[in-house]
Amino acid sequence: MGGTTQGQDFSPKILAFSTNNISDPGVDLAGSAHLHYPPQVMVISLPCSSGVRPEWIVRAVEKGFDGVFLAADGEECAYLPDCAERTAHIVQKAQQLLQSRGHDPQRVRMAAICSVCAEPFTRHMQEFAASLRQLGPARKG
């Protein structure tokens, strides 16, 4: 924390949870269109964004990820009509857990990403990486 790892020299590692049917096609489109987003973004696919557990987010930060992004299904979720609200609650709980363990709650973000949202996904990753550079590396638990 501090030193030469912060600022422009620091490349934050971001774990992105994406959904098979809704956000994965948008993430894939960003890659196939050669849109630039940080290469340190790692994507894990799952059926529904409301299936992420707050403890997974905390564990990711404590095991070396500098930030966690949830590409939420929003209103397009095929599984739950209140998916967006459930996912927002998961983010809030994760932020509380992060803070209670001495981590900045800004290390987790959520946004609705649809199947054609390549540019929004790219923009979110660039903005999140910039924000994480300002925070500096997450300390491992």
Side-chain angles (χ1 to χ4, degrees):
M1 308 179 176
T4 60
T5 57
Q6 285 183 319
Q8 296 303 318
D9 295 335
F10 168 55
S11 297
K13 286 176 53 179
I14 299 171
L15 177 61
F17 286 102
S18 178
T19 60
N20 301 331
N21 296 326
I22 307 298
S23 56
D24 275 359
V27 173
D28 290 344
L29 183 58
S32 63
H34 303 287
L35 300 178
H36 178 72
Y37 63 89
Q40 295 80 9
V41 174
M42 215 175 179
V43 179
I44 293 179
S45 296
L46 59 147
C48 177
S49 57
S50 70
V52 174
R53 298 291 165 250
E55 297 80 13
W56 299 351
I57 295 168
V58 173
R59 183 166 173 84
V61 170
E62 291 184 342
K63 292 297 181 179
F65 283 95
D66 300 298
V68 178
F69 181 82
L70 280 78
D73 285 348
E75 303 304 315
E76 297 179 23
C77 182
Y79 301 103
L80 297 166
D82 62 343
C83 178
E85 292 83 16
R86 288 177 186 231
T87 305
H89 179 73
I90 290 163
V91 168
Q92 289 173 339
K93 178 71 174 162
Q95 288 174 326
Q96 292 168 352
L97 287 171
L98 284 169
Q99 195 162 25
S100 74
R101 292 182 178 217
H103 301 287
D104 194 309
Q106 293 179 44
R107 293 196 181 275
V108 61
R109 282 197 184 171
M110 169 190 141
I113 301 293
C114 70
S115 61
V116 295
C117 289
E119 289 181 14
F121 174 76
T122 301
R123 187 174 55 254
H124 281 294
M125 292 301 96
Q126 291 169 344
E127 290 171 0
F128 193 25
S131 173
L132 292 169
R133 273 194 293 281
Q134 294 300 313
L135 290 177
R139 64 171 178 75
K140 295 180 183 177

